[in-house]
Amino acid sequence: MPDIKLICFDLDDTLWSTKQVMMEAEKQAFALLTQRAAVIAEYYDMMSLFQARVKKWKQLTADQPQLKYQVSQLRRQSLSLVLQDHNFNQAEAEQLSDDIFQCFMHWRHKPVYFEHTGETLAQLSEQYQLAAITNGNACSKRLGLDKYFTLHISAEDLGIGKPEPEPFEQTLKHFNVRAEEALHIGDNPSDDVWGAQQAGLYTIWYNPNNKPWEESEYTASLEVDQLNKIPAAVERLQANLQMKS
């Protein structure tokens, strides 16, 4: 049985709280938007604008299914369409939505990391190759996490995301490792556990809130409730694999 050589990580809700960072980013972006377009504040608060954008988002993906994983493009286009509903011409709306998106992304990349994130990644990177696989638009390099992750695979760049096998297969191909030599860690049972297992990888479910496992047709190889428990869990998995060989 081969040893684990590659460890892949999900990002959002695995290394930080998505809700926390996104709420701050939305807050900052909305503040800038209402400064630049006072008419928006006459019609929306932050949550009602979000709902209006989601409606546009759904229309865009219904008309153009290939946009499903293009979250940055959808964010910009949905706001542009809302602005055009309020008498901005297309060029003005697109420029303003781009500016607001840049503000959003600035704050999107200021997460509060879960406890032990840095030390866990540093410890693992001494022994294993590490990669990030995300359906979101956070960038490892912009976050400074490229000192740990030597590959960043995003659904936006690939055009398809988890739980489809392509992101995992592309990662394996990049490192020239077999699926049974790789492990994926994430919080989402479907995207991270089922998706990785369908591609042949071992899995660790990151479950900080100790939720019950509700899936009956598959289960993670291991489960941890704290990031600093991952190195020991990987060693345990390695030991179990060697016993079977």
Side-chain angles (χ1 to χ4, degrees):
M1 185 70 65
D3 290 337
I4 299 296
K5 297 178 180 178
L6 169 65
I7 298 178
C8 309
F9 274 87
D10 173 56
L11 296 179
D12 287 309
D13 285 325
T14 297
L15 301 185
W16 58 75
S17 166
T18 305
K19 181 179 180 180
Q20 184 180 34
V21 70
M22 294 294 253
M23 285 297 292
E24 183 61 26
E26 292 281 6
K27 177 182 175 181
Q28 297 292 337
F30 183 75
L32 179 60
L33 177 61
T34 53
Q35 289 175 17
R36 298 277 301 274
V39 65
I40 292 298
E42 298 176 14
Y43 288 90
Y44 304 99
D45 59 17
M46 189 175 79
M47 288 308 300
S48 60
L49 177 63
F50 176 80
Q51 291 165 356
R53 283 177 28 233
V54 167
K55 186 176 180 180
K56 300 293 188 184
W57 188 305
K58 290 180 178 179
Q59 291 172 353
L60 285 164
T61 53
D63 294 338
Q64 304 173 70
Q66 72 275 14
L67 291 178
K68 178 180 178 181
Y69 292 109
Q70 302 300 316
V71 293
S72 296
Q73 185 175 346
L74 285 167
R75 178 172 286 277
R76 290 192 297 265
Q77 289 189 13
S78 62
L79 178 56
S80 175
L81 291 173
V82 171
L83 290 169
Q84 290 176 60
D85 287 342
H86 294 278
N87 298 321
F88 285 79
N89 65 44
Q90 184 175 348
E92 292 171 336
E94 288 178 353
Q95 181 60 61
L96 182 53
S97 64
D98 283 346
D99 293 346
I100 300 307
F101 176 72
Q102 294 307 320
C103 173
F104 171 85
M105 288 296 283
H106 172 79
W107 292 97
R108 169 78 161 106
H109 287 87
K110 291 185 176 294
V112 177
Y113 291 100
F114 291 142
E115 190 176 12
H116 308 299
T117 295
E119 64 194 71
T120 299
L121 294 176
Q123 182 178 349
L124 291 171
S125 66
E126 292 177 357
Q127 188 173 355
Y128 306 97
Q129 298 183 95
L130 302 187
I133 304 179
T134 179
N135 283 357
N137 58 5
C139 172
S140 295
K141 184 174 182 179
R142 189 165 178 175
L143 289 161
L145 296 178
D146 54 335
K147 60 187 173 184
Y148 306 121
F149 298 124
T150 54
L151 178 68
H152 178 100
I153 292 282
S154 75
E156 285 194 327
D157 292 338
L158 200 59
I160 192 166
K162 301 175 294 184
E164 299 300 325
E166 284 86 348
F168 302 103
E169 292 170 351
Q170 286 290 323
T171 304
L172 296 173
K173 182 178 179 181
H174 175 88
F175 289 99
N176 193 29
V177 300
R178 292 174 290 172
E180 60 267 30
E181 298 173 321
L183 164 70
H184 180 72
I185 300 167
D187 69 289
N188 189 291
S190 175
D191 288 352
D192 296 309
V193 177
W194 184 80
Q197 286 186 350
Q198 294 306 297
L201 285 73
Y202 295 103
T203 55
I204 291 180
W205 183 38
Y206 175 60
N207 181 24
N209 297 317
N210 291 301
K211 297 178 182 178
W213 183 261
E214 297 180 347
E215 307 298 332
S216 59
E217 302 201 2
Y218 61 93
T219 187
S221 307
L222 292 169
E223 176 183 337
V224 297
D225 59 3
Q226 295 179 35
L227 293 177
N228 63 343
K229 294 182 179 180
I230 290 174
V234 177
E235 290 183 7
R236 192 159 65 249
L237 176 61
Q238 292 266 39
N240 290 341
L241 295 177
Q242 290 170 0
M243 287 178 61
K244 295 177 181 179
S245 61

